């Protein structure tokens, strides 16, 4: 074990040469010895290569007050770096942070007992085949200060036990968090036990969320949202994911109302959602739901939320053992809702609004939302609303429905 204070690698003290730091696997520990802004900082030096090193923050406070993501090891400036087969542990701050255009590759490394595992701000990255466990604020965070496309790939990682110690409403507690960054690929990750979402995208465009596995998320397993008038979440594909036991499975929220931005042009396809606490899949504006299998959820698919409902296509999905199969917005301003070619089995039949089972019943029915009851089937006094589960082609307000198959 090498106890040390901060280590700076700069163009001024390395002669412009790249940093190459390679140890015998599992034998070299570099540990922070006192309160410092970081353990290792590389700034302005191209070609850093670090392999087989254990970086230990010693649970010592970092006094880096100028960074959004203080870290044990940080990279900054328009540089490249590679980190392979390393360990980052024991810090109340991040394992690695990259800022100001530092583009890197991190593979086969472990991050545990940290605030965040890996964070980037205005940087591209490849983060593959790593293990990120027990972080108090977040797992892997790829953020940009404004909306633009970066080269980022997050693939084949294992992420578990991500906490929300600051009790934030969305910025903490996520396995993978994308903020404003566009063109990010999130592929084949396994993500367990996140306080909020396994994968959360706020803003940005043209991201791909493909083939991930999620279990036990306190919020949506996959959440796409635009929480702010200057934030837009546009053009994402969410496909082939397996999500079990989240509050919701997949949620694509916000349509430019109530001070929020717009989430639209979202494709949610061929996902498997099981055991959500509330709704399997939610979309509000400009969302295509197709080929999804949703099972054992109170509501299978929710198309629209009150007046937040436009351009919603729900086709070719299979809803099994959901109390309500598909709920579409009841609101008179809802437009462009198409529900066709879906199969719904094992739903609850209720024709009495006074029945305790009625609020979550029906194959294809109108739903409303309020903060007290959540999403519930509408009614008119003692008269239930119409269930269109086996209707021939019908147009009702903003809904076009038909060619579905519903059976108890």
């Amino acid at each position: 074990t090498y106890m040390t204070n901060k280590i700076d690698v700069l163009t001024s003290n390395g002669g412009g040469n790249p940093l190459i730091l390679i140890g015998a696997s599992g034998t070299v520990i570099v540990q922070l010895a006192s309160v410092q802004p970081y353990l290792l900082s590389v700034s302005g030096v191209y070609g850093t290569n670090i392999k087989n090193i254990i970086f230990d923050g010693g649970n010592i406070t970092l006094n880096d007050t100028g960074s959004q993501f203080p870290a044990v090891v940080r990279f900054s400036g328009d540089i490249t770096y590679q980190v392979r087969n390393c360990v980052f542990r024991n810090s109340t701050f991040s394992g690695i942070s990259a800022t100001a255009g530092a583009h890197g590759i991190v593979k086969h490394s472990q991050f545990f007992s940290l605030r965040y595992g890996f964070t980037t701000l205005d940087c591209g990255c490849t983060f593959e085949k790593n293990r990120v466990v027990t972080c108090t604020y977040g797992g892997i965070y790829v953020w940009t200060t404004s909306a633009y496309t970066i080269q980022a790939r997050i693939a084949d990682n294992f992420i578990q036990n991500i906490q929300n110690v600051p009790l934030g409403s969305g910025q903490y507690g996520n396995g993978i968090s994308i903020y404003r960054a566009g063109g990010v690929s999130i592929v084949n990750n396994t993500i367990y036990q996140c306080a909020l979402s396994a994968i959360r995208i706020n803003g940005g465009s043209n991201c791909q969320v493909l083939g991930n596995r999620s279990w036990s998320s306190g919020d949506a397993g996959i959440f796409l949202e635009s929480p702010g008038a200057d934030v837009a979440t546009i053009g994402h594909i969410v496909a082939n994911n397996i999500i079990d036991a989240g509050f919701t499975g997949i949620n694509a929220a916000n349509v430019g109302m109530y001070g929020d931005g717009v989430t639209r042009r979202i494709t949610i396809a061929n996902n498997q959602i099981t055991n959500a606490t509330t709704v399997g899949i939610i979309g509000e504006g400009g969302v295509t739901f197709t080929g999804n299998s949703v099972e054992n959820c109170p509501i299978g698919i929710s198309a629209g939320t009150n007046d937040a409902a436009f351009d919603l296509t729900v086709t070719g999905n299979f809803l099994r053992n959901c109390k309500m199969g598909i709920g579409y917005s009841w609101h008179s301003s809802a437009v462009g809702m198409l529900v066709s070619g879906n199969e719904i089995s094992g739903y609850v039949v209720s024709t009495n609004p006074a029945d305790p089972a009625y609020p979550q019943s029906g194959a294809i029915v109108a739903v409303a939302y309020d903060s007290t009851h959540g999403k519930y089937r509408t009614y008119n006094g003692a008269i239930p609303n119409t269930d269109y589960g086996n209707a021939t082609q019908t147009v009702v307000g903003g809904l076009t429905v038909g060619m579905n198959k519903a059976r108890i």
Side-chain angles (χ1 to χ4, degrees):
T1 299
Y2 297 87
M3 304 296 296
T4 182
N5 295 319
K6 68 173 184 174
I7 302 169
D8 286 290
V9 178
L10 309 167
T11 55
S12 59
N13 64 7
N17 296 311
L19 171 67
I20 299 176
L21 185 59
I22 300 175
S25 183
T27 66
V28 179
I29 301 173
V30 181
Q31 182 171 330
L32 191 63
S34 65
V35 174
Q36 301 287 326
Y38 42 79
L39 174 54
L40 170 65
S41 176
V42 180
S43 179
V45 178
Y46 278 82
T48 294
N49 187 355
I50 302 175
K51 186 176 181 180
N52 300 337
I53 306 295
I54 299 170
F55 293 94
D56 193 322
N59 289 317
I60 294 173
T61 297
L62 301 179
N63 61 1
D64 180 2
T65 58
S67 299
Q68 185 168 356
F69 297 112
V72 175
V73 175
R74 69 182 197 181
F75 301 96
S76 63
D78 186 15
I79 64 172
T80 59
Y81 64 91
Q82 294 189 42
V83 175
R84 299 176 188 268
N85 198 34
C86 291
V87 175
F88 302 83
R89 68 188 189 191
N90 301 334
S91 178
T92 53
F93 296 89
S94 301
I96 294 177
S97 73
T99 60
H103 292 254
I105 298 172
V106 180
K107 291 186 175 183
H108 302 289
S109 295
Q110 297 186 53
F111 299 75
F112 61 89
S113 298
L114 299 161
R115 176 178 290 186
Y116 300 95
F118 173 76
T119 62
T120 73
L121 186 63
D122 296 325
C123 301
C125 65
T126 298
F127 192 85
E128 293 182 343
K129 298 182 179 179
N130 302 289
R131 183 179 179 90
V132 180
V133 177
T134 310
C135 296
T136 56
Y137 280 42
I140 302 165
Y141 276 47
V142 177
W143 287 18
T144 57
T145 52
S146 59
Y148 65 92
T149 298
I150 61 173
Q151 296 294 322
R153 177 178 171 84
I154 304 168
D156 299 305
N157 301 287
F158 179 83
I159 304 165
Q160 185 177 25
N161 189 24
I162 305 302
Q163 302 158 22
N164 180 21
V165 169
L167 300 179
S169 59
Q171 66 272 48
Y172 308 115
N174 304 299
I176 298 171
S177 172
I178 310 301
Y179 180 65
R180 296 186 183 272
V184 181
S185 296
I186 304 170
V187 182
N188 292 338
N189 300 282
T190 299
I191 308 171
Y192 292 165
Q193 297 171 312
C194 294
L196 268 72
S197 296
I199 299 169
R200 197 177 196 100
I201 299 178
N202 294 351
S205 60
N206 303 325
C207 294
Q208 298 183 80
V209 184
L210 308 175
N212 301 281
R213 293 162 298 281
S214 163
W215 177 75
S216 188
S217 297
D219 202 338
I222 299 174
F223 203 159
L224 314 178
E225 63 171 345
S226 303
D230 62 338
V231 178
T233 301
I234 299 173
H236 302 304
I237 297 174
V238 180
N240 302 332
N241 301 284
I242 299 173
I243 302 173
D244 186 18
F247 183 71
T248 56
I250 300 171
N251 190 350
N254 305 133
V255 295
M257 299 177 176
Y258 315 114
D260 291 320
V262 176
T263 299
R264 64 176 182 85
R265 209 172 77 238
I266 308 297
T267 299
I268 300 174
N270 304 327
N271 301 282
Q272 293 197 26
I273 314 293
T274 54
N275 303 313
T277 306
T278 56
V279 183
I281 308 175
I282 301 172
E284 293 184 342
V287 179
T288 298
F289 314 73
T290 186
N292 300 288
S293 178
V294 183
E295 185 170 335
N296 295 335
C297 302
I299 301 174
I301 293 175
S302 175
T305 303
N306 298 342
D307 53 346
F310 67 89
D311 298 345
L312 299 166
T313 300
V314 185
T315 59
N317 301 283
F318 178 53
L319 297 307
R320 182 177 185 273
N321 290 345
C322 297
K323 296 177 182 179
M324 180 192 296
I326 298 170
Y328 65 91
S329 173
W330 68 278
H331 204 276
S332 60
S333 66
V335 295
M337 297 181 293
L338 171 65
V339 180
S340 180
N342 301 283
E343 184 170 354
I344 304 156
S345 71
Y347 64 96
V348 171
V349 175
S350 177
T351 58
N352 180 6
D355 178 1
Y358 178 85
Q360 294 179 344
S361 68
I364 301 174
V365 295
V367 297
Y369 170 83
D370 66 45
S371 58
T372 301
H373 303 95
K375 295 203 170 187
Y376 61 93
R377 183 177 177 181
T378 60
Y379 55 91
N380 181 13
I383 301 173
N385 66 17
T386 301
D387 189 335
Y388 294 101
N390 287 305
T392 56
Q393 183 169 322
T394 302
V395 178
V396 182
L399 172 70
T400 300
V401 60
M403 298 302 294
N404 299 285
K405 178 62 178 177
R407 55 189 175 86
I408 300 172

